[in-house]
Amino acid sequence: MAVTDTAIDRIKDMILNGELAPGARLPKEADLAERLGLSRNSLREAVRALALINVLDVRQGDGTYVTSLEPRLLLDALSFVVDFHRDDTVLQFFEVRRILEPAATAKAAVNMTDAGIEELRKILDSLPENPTVEQLVANDLEFHQRIAEGSGNAVLCSLIESLSGPTTRARIWRGLTQSNAPSKTLDQHYAIYGAIAARQPEVAHSWATVHIADVESWLRQAL
């Protein structure tokens, strides 16, 4: 493993120093192994490991390429790890959401385009008068995703998307057991939208905090 780690570090250095840019094709295996002073087996293991975390893209019959290295792609591995959460850690995910999402919402109030804000309103207005829990949760996920995208920070957006999965079941559970959950959620969504549309980042931050803390508070009592 130590030799494989060395191989990973060597390839990583080539990417960081610009020798291998995003989208670049790696040299042939034999040439790269000789150049780095590594065995071909160690190089293969390193390539496999970097492919698993979306740093490299192995194309059969074509070669190995550096991926785009976009945050969404690299943080996809985080989503995989997050899927293994236990039910007793869901509150911790809500705590992290309460830190990240208000910040993203405040940034969206500054950075989201007028077209993006209009689309946000359309998402809210698309819900039927008496939505099912499934419709409400799907709308909730899309609403928060659009806000994260509107923050203008790709890393922040990817982190929020990665963390949304573990809290989805809690949202469904709340919708099924708390009678006023749908109306309360929608009211808070419209308040968040209103603050973003008015370009009021501090108000948007406050409403997003209230919104997430409200679900978190309910969950603490329900568990």
Side-chain angles (χ1 to χ4, degrees):
M1 287 303 298
V3 178
T4 301
D5 288 344
T6 299
I8 291 172
D9 287 339
R10 298 276 179 83
I11 297 173
K12 177 183 174 183
D13 288 342
M14 292 177 71
I15 295 172
L16 292 177
N17 64 27
E19 191 173 350
L20 288 173
R25 188 176 187 273
L26 268 65
K28 292 182 179 179
E29 184 183 271
D31 295 339
L32 185 58
E34 182 179 359
R35 177 178 171 184
L36 298 179
L38 300 166
S39 70
R40 294 177 69 171
N41 282 338
S42 296
L43 181 60
R44 286 193 199 107
E45 290 300 321
V47 167
R48 288 194 191 100
L50 291 170
L52 284 173
I53 58 173
N54 296 326
V55 172
L56 297 179
D57 178 20
V58 180
R59 304 175 189 173
Q60 294 297 327
D62 186 12
T64 300
Y65 293 80
V66 180
T67 66
S68 65
L69 301 179
E70 293 179 354
R72 185 188 299 270
L73 187 64
L74 296 180
L75 287 171
D76 189 52
L78 175 61
S79 297
F80 180 79
V81 174
V82 165
D83 284 339
F84 288 98
H85 78 283
R86 303 186 310 273
D87 286 345
D88 59 356
T89 64
V90 68
L91 276 172
Q92 296 177 28
F93 284 103
F94 267 107
E95 288 174 357
V96 176
R97 279 190 63 201
R98 184 159 41 84
I99 294 169
L100 297 181
E101 288 201 31
T105 306
K107 289 181 68 65
V110 176
N111 297 326
M112 185 176 273
T113 64
D114 290 341
I117 293 175
E118 183 179 350
E119 186 63 29
L120 203 60
R121 176 64 186 239
K122 289 180 180 178
I123 290 171
L124 294 178
D125 292 344
S126 69
L127 272 177
E129 186 173 347
N130 295 302
T132 65
V133 172
E134 290 77 12
Q135 289 173 324
L136 188 69
V137 171
N139 190 271
D140 180 84
L141 290 170
E142 186 177 8
F143 179 75
H144 288 288
Q145 181 181 346
R146 292 298 182 90
I147 291 175
E149 291 171 354
S151 72
N153 187 312
V155 175
L156 182 58
C157 178
S158 296
L159 283 171
I160 290 172
E161 288 184 9
S162 298
L163 294 168
S164 66
T167 62
T168 300
R169 183 162 54 180
R171 294 181 228 188
I172 294 173
W173 183 17
R174 183 193 185 209
L176 290 171
T177 59
Q178 191 175 28
S179 59
N180 65 338
S183 60
K184 181 182 286 189
T185 296
L186 199 55
D187 286 345
Q188 291 172 352
H189 280 183
Y190 273 107
I192 292 169
Y193 157 77
I196 293 175
R199 304 294 186 182
Q200 297 176 315
E202 292 183 0
V203 178
H205 186 286
S206 297
W207 270 115
T209 302
V210 167
H211 177 54
I212 297 169
D214 189 43
V215 183
E216 184 184 344
S217 176
W218 167 83
L219 187 60
R220 287 185 186 279
Q221 295 175 9
L223 288 177

